[in-house]
């Protein structure tokens, strides 16, 4: 009997979600597992639900996290360049992910990785569909159809429902993984995810 | 030439600092290193400097952290029992640590571990010196002298200065380790601390 996929909650807005996205499928595969990439919006979970500021804006913690992302990228060999964008948004890109996933999950994942790379290796804005021309063309996605779709109420509501499900599952940031009911927040918990997938219990190491 | 000790910032208030305290010396020793246990006050760094609420009070993140501490304790084989105390404080215990450290660093560390265990395995209040009778007696510490000392202005100011130094070093919570200039927040970064002490660089693994 095959085991259920690991739920991988991501938001292309998050640098740590990008780094995690570059590793999670291989990590899961080492344990004979697959993943289900699910959307979350850190603007909703971190700011609205938890009532925090954007994490980069906190003194001390903000600079620490910026450094942490850069060293993790080096350690994991993932191309990464912090951007200086402000006022950008991942909401439309995440809506696009939802719409694509309903049609072709692998294509949706490829689109998400293209958005991650655009933002986190090129420092290019991903807020609006007109900025996705190169990426959608490379992936054979009809940008006009996608642009129309993500303005539809059903897609907006589908993303809202997904984020509500993520919150109900306990996810409060990105990346967040739920593996057989066990929650893991952040790249820095991947070592514990590895232990959990290996042992299925929290017994002394 | 012997290398400098790792700076280990702790506050007996923090469950994760307790779990880290049970591991950090052995981790350092595996790399031929020693540690210098330095005080921090999460009530100052988290609440005053960063302007956050106490982390257990955040929705979603609070319950996650509570679970995370319990599974980490099981995984690391560290006795741990969450307490239901409210309104307690570690300030006087941390002042006591500062006073003891100036006299006998190892005794100060033993006192800190006794406070950690009292709070995090027995759920007993550690706010005031009259609650430390058993622990100080077991360690051969003169409780009357300690009680008098921690009400002195010089000890109060010494702890304040230590916390200011911790903040200047970038520490914003506990546990926090600085190893050869590199900062590590949380037990969940101990795997990266291990990598850093092994390699001294962030090169692909």
């Amino acid at each position: 009997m095959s085991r259920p996929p690991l739920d991988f909650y991501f938001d292309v807005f998050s640098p740590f979600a990008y780094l995690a996205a570059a590793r999670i499928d291989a990590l899961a595969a080492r344990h004979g597992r697959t993943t289900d990439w699910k959307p979350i919006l850190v603007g909703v979970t971190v700011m609205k639900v938890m009532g925090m500021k954007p994490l980069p804006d906190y003194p001390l913690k903000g600079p620490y996290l910026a450094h942490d992302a850069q060293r993790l990228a080096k350690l994991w060999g993932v191309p990464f360049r912090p951007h200086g964008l402000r006022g950008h948004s991942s909401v439309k890109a995440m809506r696009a992910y939802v719409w694509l996933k309903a049609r072709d999950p692998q294509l949706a994942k490829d689109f998400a990785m293209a958005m991650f790379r655009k933002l986190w290796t090129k420092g290019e804005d991903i807020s609006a569909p007109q900025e996705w021309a190169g990426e959608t063309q490379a992936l054979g996605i009809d940008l006009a159809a996608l642009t129309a779709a993500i303005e539809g109420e059903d897609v907006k509501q589908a993303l809202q429902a997904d984020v509500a499900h993520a919150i109900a599952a306990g996810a409060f940031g990105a990346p967040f993984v739920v593996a057989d009911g066990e929650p893991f927040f952040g790249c820095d918990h991947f070592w514990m995810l590895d232990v959990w997938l290996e042992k299925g219990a929290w017994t002394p190491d």
Side-chain angles (χ1 to χ4, degrees), chain A residues 1-195:
Chain A
M1 199 178 78
S2 76
R3 288 169 296 174
L6 316 184
D7 290 331
F8 173 67
Y9 295 94
F10 76 100
D11 180 345
V12 293
F13 196 84
S14 160
F16 292 102
Y18 162 61
L19 299 176
R23 301 274 287 199
I24 187 64
D25 284 3
L27 191 161
R30 280 203 304 276
H31 300 278
R33 303 293 289 264
T34 58
T35 59
D36 183 1
W37 289 30
K38 296 184 169 181
I40 193 169
L41 292 172
V42 294
V44 173
T45 56
V46 173
M47 292 159 72
K48 292 188 187 168
V49 176
M50 294 204 290
M52 289 183 173
K53 292 189 288 192
L55 296 182
D57 293 352
Y58 281 102
L60 300 173
K61 188 157 191 165
Y64 173 84
L65 291 177
H67 175 66
D68 198 36
Q70 296 207 49
R71 66 184 174 186
L72 208 47
K74 283 183 201 166
L75 181 60
W76 285 356
V78 181
F80 177 72
R81 199 177 69 183
H83 62 72
L85 299 172
R86 284 302 215 172
H88 60 299
S89 164
S90 62
V91 173
K92 291 187 179 183
M94 294 306 289
R95 270 190 216 148
Y97 175 78
V98 168
W99 186 75
L100 289 166
K101 188 183 178 191
R103 279 145 195 85
D104 183 339
Q106 184 56 50
L107 182 64
K109 210 189 253 196
D110 293 342
F111 173 79
M113 281 310 301
M115 292 295 106
F116 269 132
R117 288 195 199 100
K118 185 176 179 72
L119 182 59
W120 291 110
T121 70
K122 298 180 186 170
E124 294 175 1
D125 198 354
I126 56 152
S127 301
Q130 58 265 31
E131 287 142 356
W132 312 339
E135 292 75 19
T136 49
Q137 187 173 27
L139 292 169
I141 295 169
D142 180 342
L143 182 56
L146 181 64
T147 301
I150 64 173
E151 292 307 323
E153 276 310 308
D154 52 343
V155 175
K156 291 180 183 178
Q157 285 173 16
L159 176 57
Q160 284 172 10
D162 280 346
V163 173
H165 279 125
I167 292 168
F172 53 85
F176 200 96
V177 175
V178 179
D180 307 323
E182 193 71 13
F184 301 87
F185 172 58
C187 295
D188 40 16
H189 270 77
F190 272 21
W191 70 274
M192 287 181 76
L193 174 59
D194 245 334
V195 169

